[in-house]
Every structure is written in C-alpha cells, then in structure tokens.
Amino acid sequence: MKSAQEDAYLEFVTARAKALYRSAYALAAGDTHLAEDLVQETLSRVYVHWGRVAGANSPAAYAQTVLVRTFLSLRRRRSSGERPVGNMPDSPESGPDAALRLTLLEALGQLPPRDRAVLLLRYWEGHSIEETAQMLRLSSSAVRSQGTRALGRLRALLGDSLSDLVPQ
C-alpha cells in the first residue's frame, strides 16, 4: 500500500474503531472478546480493499456492512453453541443506566443473529430501512417485517423488567 493510502487508512481506523467496537459489542450481546475479534476481522478486510473503499462515498458505511456480514457469517459457521456464563465486567459500572444496558444486552443475546443485526442497524446505528436492506442483502419489506418481529421478541423477553430500570 502506498504511504498516502496507509495514512488515510490509519486515519480512518482512528476515527471509526470505537464506533465499530460499540456496534460489534451490541451484536455480540456484550461478549467483549467476540466484539474485539469482529472489529479486528472487519478492519483487516477493509484494509485489503482500502484502495477501492477509500474512493467510495462512505468508507464508514462499507466498514459497518463488513462488520455485520462478518458477524452473521461467524454465527453460521460456529460449530459450538457453547456460551460463557458469569461475565466479569472489565470495569465497575454503576447507576440505573448500567443495569438497563446489561438487561438489554442480555435480551439481545437471546435473539437470533439476524434479528440482532436488524435491530442494531435500524435502532442503534440509525440506518434507514433501505440502507439496512442493502447491508444485509434483504428487501426493504423483509427488513420491516424482521424488525417488527425482532422488536416483538425483544418485548416478550424483557416483559415488564425495563420499567424497574428506567428512571421516572
């Protein structure tokens, strides 16, 4: 890679790595190790195609698409359904926001990967239905219906537990 392209790539990584990690963390339902792996894989795939990506309208959107597709691909390939229990937080969190976040992440972890991806792209990242459809290679109507069903599943999982956590 040429020096100017390397500099542009490093600048991109510096600007977008935290946002990619936050998205990966939500997709991974709070699994920090999986989130770090997803970001690393995403950035390596973006690096390989940086010459083409840098000229695109939005390298950030490209990276987000790669992140979601990497996550979905990993979930399909995973041969073991083993999940760790008793997560130890990296740093102590306090306040009602932390309890709400942990409850939401736990509920998201119980949803199928594609449902998590739709909810993340639509409501966490704020992408339009059309952008989400393009990233997931679905039709707009499929994104709408899958989003509605995913929200319904999330509400069923959460029940009334959120009302205790949301400050009034």
Side-chain angles (χ1 to χ4, degrees):
M1 205 184 267
K2 296 177 186 154
S3 180
Q5 282 187 329
E6 286 179 3
D7 291 344
Y9 175 76
L10 291 174
E11 185 178 316
F12 169 78
V13 170
T14 302
R16 294 297 304 162
K18 286 182 182 178
L20 284 170
Y21 178 77
R22 284 191 300 269
S23 295
Y25 186 78
L27 281 172
D31 184 343
T32 58
H33 301 293
L34 177 58
E36 290 169 354
D37 291 345
L38 286 169
V39 171
Q40 186 65 37
E41 181 68 22
T42 298
L43 292 175
S44 67
R45 289 181 184 187
V46 169
Y47 179 80
V48 168
H49 300 289
W50 184 249
R52 181 173 39 107
V53 173
N57 285 344
S58 178
Y62 178 84
Q64 187 69 33
T65 300
V66 170
L67 175 72
V68 171
R69 289 181 182 165
T70 301
F71 168 73
L72 293 173
S73 171
L74 177 71
R75 301 317 287 177
R76 282 191 298 267
R77 284 185 281 147
R78 194 170 195 169
S79 61
S80 170
E82 190 176 318
R83 295 185 94 27
V85 231
N87 290 335
M88 295 297 293
D90 291 333
S91 61
E93 304 233 9
S94 61
D97 216 22
L100 177 62
R101 187 177 319 117
L102 291 174
T103 302
L104 286 172
L105 284 172
E106 182 180 328
L108 279 172
Q110 296 177 34
L111 294 177
R114 183 149 325 249
D115 285 354
R116 266 187 267 165
V118 168
L119 292 178
L120 172 92
L121 291 172
R122 286 285 295 129
Y123 302 106
W124 181 282
E125 293 291 326
H127 291 288
S128 70
I129 290 172
E130 291 74 24
E131 291 170 334
T132 302
Q134 183 180 10
M135 288 178 178
L136 296 176
R137 296 182 180 151
L138 297 172
S139 67
S140 295
S141 60
V143 169
R144 280 188 202 95
S145 62
Q146 193 158 6
T148 300
R149 283 194 301 270
L151 284 173
R153 288 184 187 119
L154 192 60
R155 284 185 192 107
L157 287 170
L158 293 171
D160 291 332
S161 63
L162 282 183
S163 61
D164 300 335
L165 300 173
V166 176
Q168 315 237 333

